[in-house]
Amino acid sequence: MKKIFTFLIIIFSLTGNSQILDPVKWTTKVIQKSNTEFELIIDATIDYNWHLYSQNTPDGGSQPLVFEFKNAKGNYTLVGKTTEGKYIKEYNEIFEVDEYFFVNKAQFKQLIKVTNTNLKEIKIALSGQVCIDGKCIQEDDNLTIKLPEIKQETIVEKVEEKAVITDTKEDKKTTEEIITKVDEVITDSTNSNVEEVKKVETTTATKKEIKKEEKKGLLSIFILAFLGGFAALLTPCVFPMIPMTVSFFTKQSKTKAEGKKNAFIYGISIILIYLLLGSLVTGIFGADALNALSTNVWFNIIFFGLLVFFAASFLGAFEIVLPNSWANKVDRQADRGGVVGILFMALALAIVSFSCTGPIVGTLLVEAASKGGIAPIVGMLGFSSALALPFMLFAMFPGWMNSLPKSGGWLNTVKVSLGFLELALAFKFLSNADLVLQAHWLEREVFLAIWIVIFGTWAVYLFGKLTLPHDSPLSHISVGRLFLALLVSIFTVYLIPGLWGAPLKLISGFPPPMTYSESPYGVGNSQGGGGEATSVLPAHAHYGPHKIIAFHDYEKGVAYAKEVGKPILLDFTGHACVNCRKMEEHVWSQPEVLSMLKNDIVLISLYVDDKRSLDEKEQYISPETGKEIKTIGNKWSDFQITRYKNNAQPYYIVLNSEGKDISDPVGYTPDVEEYKTWLKEGIANFKK
């Protein structure tokens, strides 16, 4: 009985009337590397079943973790980037991107070099997102890391490492003690073994999922790169070199066996050259840096520019060539014969064909960089294997040469077609940047319109109605080209209904999500039969999910509710809140719920992860949490914590037109009937 009573007291102390969740506990320590170099280690202990998102989680998904070193200027410099431990990679069907997150625990490291020997502490502000099934919260915290005394003397390298452990929050100890007591009580209960088994099974399954997802991602990169290498073969820079190379091996080799051996060495040399390129990219930038590049706004814009540059080259605007002196020097080395000569022959192929292979290789490396890890190496293995295989096989079996088609204008058609594909792919990177910035320059309709024009123009080209600089005169089109023209035309027509709200599942993940558009369900489509509120948006309002009129500012929304005499649905949400999107897609879309949201209530959606800065005069220190309120998201998060003692999203409350609560708050409520009943009661309370 005493244990049960203690357990109830502990549970009450953890929950009580307050719903402020704190699922991540942060601790820090310092390892002194030299007199002025220190490694900062930040450990996160994550409550059971919660997910803390990585610094590298891709754009368009949940909010990545960000560390801001507040007092760096004039005191210390960062050496490299903040590294992190192994994360879990999982596809999110709502956001249509892979997400990277940690469970149970995570560790982050940052090396610094101190320039101010009087420095006593490092101040770090961190922001991110942590979620569990049903809710997400903003993880905003301030860490203070105490440094050991720095002696004012010359740097002594390789001193004995010294660890200084500090706790970043005094009140964390109390929480940890409570959690320890809860664990002790649960351990004594009959269900303890079941819980432990569940945790072990979850950990084991998680490790298997990580390996499975990694293999799946690398396999897809290999296959795409292999297809890219095959496409490179069919370009005017590479295809004509096949018979020339085969002729060299058959004439220079004294026996058939020697010819086959040399052809094999030649193929392996091609693979090694491209593997070296992939290794250099991974080695120079590093796996973590590649992930960081792929999720950075400015690098997405740079990738966009690179792909447009490559596409212009393929379309005939200019040729990307390496210096002729390189090719001449390598060609002279190839005359040496033997294994070294064959290696230089392979290098000569890479240099001479660069005007056609360069854009493909560049595109593959950009795409592989978005995956991170050893993806660039795997990509170059796939590309070079496809490129080398025909040279090896035709040199080993010269008789097969008779089955090859003759060189001609069709080779340039392949090159131009690759240009159209690269141009279309480029806009995916620009879309990533736009989604992160929430600039709404490249919304879904604009993205689809661009693709329709690109693929439509490609179809016109394939039908022979458009001629580009390096095309040969065309008296007729081949059957193969006709079939390709028909296929591209069908795809173009398939894209058009997307402007009116069609889901376009064939290209899921490429265009922006349905909610990121001028009209979430297409031009002129209310989708759901919920009725229309008004054809003209009120001042300061926006179209939210399902074309529901929504306000993103509390005061302006309340003012409008007073004007029209309607109750308010206050919606605490986030751009990167997956459970918020689930509610909007699966609950709000139901006809009766949608009708109430459009006609009977004023929706105020406050985004707690809005990173836009407040004006300086509007910034403040929260009396409730003591945190700096600098962004719009900080303001609404602090509003939710201060008024409702809650920091989870989604979070819904019905208010009257004066802004007073007239319903109990609810969180994630996937049951449509339950949510509909709750919403009806709130509206009924307003009418009383």
Side-chain angles (χ1 to χ4, degrees):
M1 177 63 72
K2 183 180 178 181
K3 285 186 177 180
I4 294 173
F5 181 72
T6 303
F7 178 74
L8 290 173
I9 292 175
I10 293 166
I11 292 299
F12 181 79
S13 68
L14 286 173
T15 56
N17 295 323
S18 173
Q19 295 296 316
I20 302 298
L21 301 172
D22 189 17
V24 183
K25 315 298 181 294
W26 298 94
T27 57
T28 63
K29 71 178 179 181
V30 180
I31 294 178
Q32 188 166 354
K33 294 290 188 180
S34 73
N35 197 41
T36 58
E37 284 191 331
F38 299 86
E39 185 176 54
L40 311 178
I41 299 177
I42 304 169
D43 288 300
T45 303
I46 307 163
D47 286 356
Y48 184 57
N49 271 346
W50 284 84
H51 293 172
L52 173 67
Y53 289 94
S54 159
Q55 301 171 96
N56 303 318
T57 198
D59 296 336
S62 296
Q63 184 181 336
L65 185 63
V66 175
F67 292 99
E68 182 186 356
F69 294 83
K70 304 286 287 184
N71 60 334
K73 188 175 181 180
N75 291 317
Y76 59 91
T77 57
L78 304 181
V79 181
K81 296 188 176 182
T82 305
T83 61
E84 58 184 40
K86 192 72 175 177
Y87 49 68
I88 297 170
K89 179 180 176 182
E90 193 173 276
Y91 184 72
N92 188 315
E93 293 182 352
I94 299 296
F95 292 133
E96 299 178 339
V97 295
D98 287 325
E99 289 186 323
Y100 309 148
F101 57 85
F102 302 96
V103 294
N104 301 327
K105 61 182 180 180
Q107 188 175 80
F108 308 89
K109 296 180 180 179
Q110 175 66 60
L111 187 63
I112 66 167
K113 186 176 182 66
V114 175
T115 54
N116 176 11
T117 53
N118 295 318
L119 184 66
K120 302 298 182 185
E121 59 188 23
I122 305 295
K123 294 184 177 181
I124 304 172
L126 64 87
S127 64
Q129 189 179 55
V130 58
C131 295
I132 195 172
D133 187 28
K135 62 180 69 112
C136 291
I137 67 169
Q138 291 298 111
E139 183 61 25
D140 295 316
D141 221 327
N142 293 302
L143 308 180
T144 300
I145 305 176
K146 302 291 184 182
L147 289 180
E149 184 180 353
I150 303 169
K151 295 180 181 179
Q152 297 190 21
E153 55 187 39
T154 56
I155 297 173
V156 181
E157 296 292 347
K158 299 182 179 178
V159 297
E160 182 179 355
E161 292 186 350
K162 179 182 179 184
V164 180
I165 301 175
T166 62
D167 200 327
T168 57
K169 281 189 174 179
E170 293 181 2
D171 62 340
K172 298 291 184 184
K173 292 180 181 178
T174 306
T175 308
E176 288 170 0
E177 288 171 3
I178 293 173
I179 292 171
T180 303
K181 289 178 182 178
V182 174
D183 286 341
E184 290 172 358
V185 174
I186 294 176
T187 302
D188 289 338
S189 67
T190 57
N191 293 327
S192 62
N193 291 333
V194 176
E195 291 296 323
E196 290 300 318
V197 169
K198 283 182 179 179
K199 289 183 182 180
V200 172
E201 287 176 349
T202 302
T203 304
T204 305
T206 297
K207 289 180 178 177
K208 289 180 180 178
E209 284 297 317
I210 292 171
K211 292 180 179 178
K212 184 179 177 182
E213 288 295 327
E214 284 179 349
K215 288 179 180 178
K216 184 180 176 182
L218 292 177
L219 180 61
S220 65
I221 283 288
F222 180 86
I223 293 172
L224 285 172
F226 189 88
L227 293 174
F230 182 73
L233 276 171
L234 303 179
T235 59
C237 314
V238 181
F239 190 80
M241 296 187 72
I242 297 176
M244 291 168 59
T245 307
V246 171
S247 175
F248 172 83
F249 283 121
T250 54
K251 289 178 180 179
Q252 296 298 319
S253 303
K254 296 177 181 178
T255 63
K256 287 185 178 180
E258 185 183 357
K260 290 181 180 180
K261 183 189 76 172
N262 290 339
F264 180 78
I265 295 172
Y266 181 71
I268 294 299
S269 299
I270 293 173
I271 293 173
L272 289 175
I273 287 167
Y274 284 99
L275 276 180
L276 178 62
L277 177 61
S279 300
L280 284 173
V281 170
T282 304
I284 291 171
F285 293 104
D288 291 335
L290 286 174
N291 272 329
L293 292 185
S294 69
T295 58
N296 182 279
V297 170
W298 294 110
F299 275 97
N300 269 287
I301 293 173
I302 290 170
F303 289 161
F304 164 74
L306 276 175
L307 293 193
V308 171
F309 178 76
F310 293 151
S313 172
F314 270 159
L315 293 172
F318 48 81
E319 293 287 339
I320 303 174
V321 293
L322 296 176
N324 288 330
S325 59
W326 292 14
N328 294 333
K329 288 178 182 178
V330 171
D331 194 47
R332 284 195 295 270
Q333 293 296 324
D335 293 335
R336 295 171 56 179
V339 175
V340 175
I342 294 173
L343 178 62
F344 277 101
M345 276 188 64
L347 185 56
L349 170 70
I351 293 173
V352 172
S353 64
F354 187 78
S355 62
C356 290
T357 59
I360 300 175
V361 169
T363 303
L364 289 173
L365 287 175
V366 167
E367 182 63 24
S370 69
K371 303 297 181 184
I374 62 169
I377 298 174
V378 174
M380 289 301 95
L381 176 63
F383 177 83
S384 58
S385 297
L387 195 65
L389 198 59
F391 285 95
M392 293 168 62
L393 292 177
F394 285 118
M396 291 178 180
F397 307 100
W400 292 4
M401 290 288 297
N402 297 325
S403 62
L404 279 179
K406 293 181 180 180
S407 299
W410 65 273
L411 291 173
N412 194 64
T413 303
V414 173
K415 187 178 175 184
V416 169
S417 294
L418 290 173
F420 280 112
L421 283 173
E422 292 215 10
L423 188 59
L425 180 61
F427 283 93
K428 172 58 180 171
F429 290 96
L430 188 62
S431 173
N432 287 343
D434 183 60
L435 281 167
V436 175
L437 293 172
Q438 288 291 302
H440 289 267
W441 294 334
L442 196 62
E443 292 178 318
R444 186 179 176 89
E445 293 92 343
V446 178
F447 183 95
L448 291 175
I450 290 170
W451 267 37
I452 289 167
V453 171
I454 290 172
F455 283 96
T457 306
W458 184 15
V460 171
Y461 170 79
L462 290 172
F463 279 119
K465 302 301 181 183
L466 177 66
T467 303
L468 291 173
H470 300 297
D471 284 325
S472 303
L474 188 66
S475 58
H476 66 279
I477 61 173
S478 64
V479 175
R481 181 166 174 166
L482 175 62
F483 278 132
L484 181 59
L486 292 172
L487 185 64
V488 175
S489 299
I490 291 168
F491 181 71
T492 305
V493 174
Y494 168 78
L495 292 175
I496 294 172
L499 297 173
W500 282 267
L504 304 181
K505 293 182 180 179
L506 282 180
I507 57 169
S508 176
F510 275 91
M514 195 80 75
T515 53
Y516 194 77
S517 62
E518 293 180 8
S519 180
Y521 275 86
V523 180
N525 187 355
S526 62
Q527 190 71 21
E532 296 294 332
T534 177
S535 58
V536 179
L537 274 173
H540 311 295
H542 309 266
Y543 278 126
H546 316 294
K547 212 177 180 180
I548 302 167
I549 292 175
F551 290 84
H552 298 326
D553 183 278
Y554 178 76
E555 289 80 10
K556 291 180 173 65
V558 171
Y560 179 73
K562 286 181 182 178
E563 181 184 328
V564 297
K566 290 183 178 180
I568 297 164
L569 174 62
L570 187 57
D571 164 34
F572 289 99
T573 184
H575 294 295
C577 172
V578 66
N579 295 306
C580 305
R581 299 295 86 74
K582 286 180 180 178
M583 286 293 294
E584 291 161 6
E585 291 186 14
H586 302 300
V587 179
W588 287 13
S589 62
Q590 298 304 307
E592 198 169 348
V593 175
L594 186 58
S595 178
M596 286 188 282
L597 293 174
K598 284 188 172 183
N599 301 308
D600 302 330
I601 208 160
V602 173
L603 176 63
I604 302 177
S605 293
L606 305 180
Y607 287 84
V608 300
D609 58 358
D610 191 328
K611 296 301 179 185
R612 290 176 295 168
S613 296
L614 291 165
D615 290 338
E616 282 193 24
K617 61 183 180 181
E618 294 180 349
Q619 297 178 11
Y620 63 96
I621 302 295
S622 170
E624 182 74 22
T625 64
K627 294 179 181 179
E628 292 181 276
I629 307 302
K630 289 187 171 183
T631 68
I632 293 174
N634 292 158
K635 176 183 176 181
W636 300 135
S637 179
D638 185 57
F639 176 46
Q640 182 184 1
I641 291 170
T642 302
R643 179 163 172 171
Y644 297 105
K645 311 301 179 189
N646 190 292
N647 62 340
Q649 295 82 43
Y651 195 70
Y652 308 106
I653 314 98
V654 179
L655 316 177
N656 64 18
S657 54
E658 300 294 324
K660 295 180 180 179
D661 300 356
I662 55 174
S663 79
D664 292 328
V666 296
Y668 179 62
T669 312
D671 186 292
V672 176
E673 290 301 318
E674 183 181 347
Y675 188 82
K676 183 171 67 177
T677 300
W678 172 83
L679 191 58
K680 277 184 175 179
E681 287 177 356
I683 295 171
N685 290 340
F686 173 77
K687 292 178 178 178
K688 288 180 181 178

